[in-house]
Amino acid sequence: MSTPDAASAGAPAATARTPHDLPDVTGLVVGVLGGTGPQGRGLAYRLAKAGQQVVIGSRSADRAAAAAAELGLGVRGADNAATAAESDVVIVAVPWEGHAELLTSLRAELAGKIVVDCVNPLGFDKQGAYALKPEEGSAAQQAAALLPGSRVTAAFHHLSAVLLEDREVDEIDIDVLVLGEERAATDVVQALAARIPGMRGVFAGRLRNAHQVESLVANLISVNRRYKAHAGLRITDV
Amino acid sequence: MSTPDAASAGAPAATARTPHDLPDVTGLVVGVLGGTGPQGRGLAYRLAKAGQQVVIGSRSADRAAAAAAELGLGVRGADNAATAAESDVVIVAVPWEGHAELLTSLRAELAGKIVVDCVNPLGFDKQGAYALKPEEGSAAQQAAALLPGSRVTAAFHHLSAVLLEDREVDEIDIDVLVLGEERAATDVVQALAARIPGMRGVFAGRLRNAHQVESLVANLISVNRRYKAHAGLRITDV
């Protein structure tokens, strides 16, 4: 039986800083690939409303511009390549089916950038949703494999697009689990999540432990069906 | 991009009952296999303190009896086979390494019983914990495969043994994710979880989605290391 305590008495945290001491990210430009889908649009809306500069990307610059105009709040639209090139932090919110192809095509534009993968590889059948296991282990590990020059993180997996897009909802009651190899990058993503009222960004491990975070969405779908809810996660004692 | 909303607009819940309407489980005898380990002992303590009849099992009846005497609260000890035979609900809290062998040896005693698997198959190296993927998909699916005559569920994966065993802690601030194929069985397990102050049992899907719940403990270990916490989960909007 492994309990969560198992390793907690082990090595101390990497630095003496408190894990709640996060950088100022207000000046960063955030791009959202797949920004015309419900999740991407919802995230773009929340981040822009929090005062962040946001660019949404799509295959078609025109469609991106139209979606951006609809969002307002200073959001701009561009094609995916321009979105990646213009942004400091790039959120990947595309369907799993197009994930590898899109990232491969943007390798140059994403070099040096913080990439935030929020893709959940799921299958669906009559019994509901189930996890798909990417060959690389997870969508985030696939992104890291395809983008060796980028600073790949994983986050924003569990958000309800319905809540994100609902303009009558002021706070999103959820903790965003943030994974990655490089603390400076995960700190930025945690700070970005914390810009949205109600949200916190909580560091939750390395990319090799991203699969379970991605596929937990299948469980949240079961929760939502049973309880007719928009379920999210909170981490207690943090 | 799959969001948790994806299927929530689909079929209605299986029955018209409210999902919060759970059975009375106060009369059930709960056995804990691996009841002399920290997680098993902690769960036995919490359930007995809540008024449940509890038997803890071990390979050695003597060791089980000694651990039971130390717990007090009317907890009894027995060998694993007698524990399984005497109990209505049997919690499996053994190390992953001995999981298959133990369950195979108890197939007869566990027939017809509600089995609650709370085993987390994890590996550990210098970088911390990582998920092991059982051939059957998860520890819970392995249990279901080995125990075709039992009502197998999965729950109690994310509990801190330190908190469970700490007698100065009155409430455990956590939602227990309960998985299984049969609603009558998962309802019982949810009701059992709710006996412990601070805990709720939340239905979170079928056994085929147990792997990510089991392996999320690797992430909680990362949280605990970074924040020096005993992290748990809460499900929001439920």
Side-chain angles (χ1 to χ4, degrees):
Chain A
M1 193 56 231
S2 292
T3 72
D5 319 296
S8 56
T15 75
R17 282 187 296 131
T18 130
H20 300 285
D21 183 18
L22 299 173
D24 177 3
V25 295
T26 52
L28 299 183
V29 177
V30 180
V32 184
L33 305 178
T36 57
Q39 168 96 343
R41 221 165 44 210
L43 270 172
Y45 168 65
R46 292 290 159 184
L47 288 167
K49 196 179 169 202
Q52 209 73 34
Q53 294 181 67
V54 176
V55 188
I56 60 179
S58 172
R59 285 192 193 187
S60 142
D62 286 348
R63 247 180 334 132
E70 212 176 298
L71 284 175
L73 300 165
V75 175
R76 290 175 290 138
D79 66 27
N80 283 322
T83 298
E86 282 179 39
S87 304
D88 302 302
V89 177
V90 181
I91 296 173
V92 182
V94 299
W96 166 239
E97 294 67 31
H99 184 257
E101 192 192 348
L102 178 71
L103 296 185
T104 303
S105 74
L106 298 177
R107 190 172 289 164
E109 291 83 354
L110 291 171
K113 308 288 168 98
I114 295 178
V115 171
V116 189
D117 203 294
C118 60
V119 173
N120 311 307
L122 293 183
F124 293 89
D125 63 17
K126 279 184 193 170
Q127 299 202 318
Y130 57 94
L132 300 177
K133 178 89 172 185
E135 201 184 307
E136 297 83 354
S138 60
Q141 286 165 291
Q142 183 184 80
L146 294 173
L147 305 171
S150 301
R151 305 163 71 190
V152 175
T153 67
F156 298 116
H157 304 89
H158 304 142
L159 303 175
S160 157
V162 172
L163 293 185
L164 288 176
E165 291 208 89
D166 185 341
R167 297 198 174 213
E168 299 195 354
V169 172
D170 287 325
E171 296 206 354
I172 308 284
D173 182 18
I174 201 167
D175 285 341
V176 171
L177 303 184
V178 179
L179 294 91
E181 305 302 311
E182 185 207 337
R183 180 149 181 183
T186 55
D187 277 358
V188 164
V189 179
Q190 288 177 245
L192 260 186
R195 296 271 282 153
I196 299 174
M199 274 192 207
R200 297 189 305 175
V202 175
F203 176 74
R206 293 176 180 273
L207 295 185
R208 68 175 181 175
N209 284 317
H211 172 63
Q212 55 264 30
V213 173
E214 294 172 0
S215 48
L216 200 68
V217 172
N219 303 87
L220 293 175
I221 289 172
S222 294
V223 173
N224 287 341
R225 287 184 67 162
R226 174 67 60 91
Y227 297 92
K228 303 188 192 311
H230 296 293
L233 293 184
R234 281 285 186 207
I235 304 294
T236 58
D237 199 36
V238 165
Chain B
M1 192 57 228
S2 293
T3 72
D5 318 295
S8 55
T15 75
R17 282 187 297 132
T18 129
H20 300 285
D21 183 18
L22 298 173
D24 178 4
V25 296
T26 53
L28 298 183
V29 177
V30 179
V32 184
L33 305 178
T36 57
Q39 167 95 343
R41 223 163 43 211
L43 269 172
Y45 168 65
R46 292 289 159 185
L47 288 166
K49 196 178 170 204
Q52 209 72 35
Q53 293 182 67
V54 176
V55 188
I56 60 180
S58 171
R59 286 192 191 185
S60 144
D62 287 349
R63 245 177 339 130
E70 211 176 300
L71 284 176
L73 299 165
V75 175
R76 290 175 291 136
D79 65 29
N80 283 322
T83 298
E86 283 178 39
S87 304
D88 302 301
V89 177
V90 181
I91 296 173
V92 182
V94 299
W96 166 239
E97 293 67 33
H99 184 256
E101 192 191 348
L102 177 72
L103 295 185
T104 303
S105 74
L106 298 178
R107 191 172 290 165
E109 292 83 353
L110 291 171
K113 308 290 169 94
I114 295 178
V115 171
V116 189
D117 204 294
C118 60
V119 173
N120 310 307
L122 294 184
F124 293 89
D125 62 19
K126 279 184 192 169
Q127 299 202 317
Y130 57 93
L132 300 177
K133 179 88 172 185
E135 200 183 307
E136 298 83 357
S138 60
Q141 285 164 293
Q142 183 184 79
L146 294 173
L147 304 171
S150 301
R151 304 163 72 190
V152 175
T153 67
F156 298 117
H157 303 90
H158 304 144
L159 302 175
S160 157
V162 172
L163 293 185
L164 288 175
E165 291 208 90
D166 184 341
R167 296 196 175 215
E168 299 196 354
V169 171
D170 288 325
E171 296 205 356
I172 308 284
D173 181 16
I174 200 167
D175 284 340
V176 171
L177 302 185
V178 179
L179 294 91
E181 305 302 311
E182 185 205 338
R183 179 146 180 187
T186 54
D187 276 359
V188 165
V189 179
Q190 288 176 246
L192 261 186
R195 297 270 283 154
I196 299 174
M199 274 192 208
R200 297 189 305 176
V202 175
F203 176 75
R206 293 176 180 275
L207 295 184
R208 67 176 180 173
N209 284 316
H211 172 63
Q212 54 265 31
V213 173
E214 295 172 358
S215 48
L216 200 68
V217 172
N219 303 87
L220 292 176
I221 289 172
S222 294
V223 173
N224 287 343
R225 287 183 66 163
R226 173 67 59 93
Y227 298 92
K228 302 187 192 313
H230 296 294
L233 292 186
R234 281 285 188 207
I235 304 293
T236 58
D237 199 36
V238 165

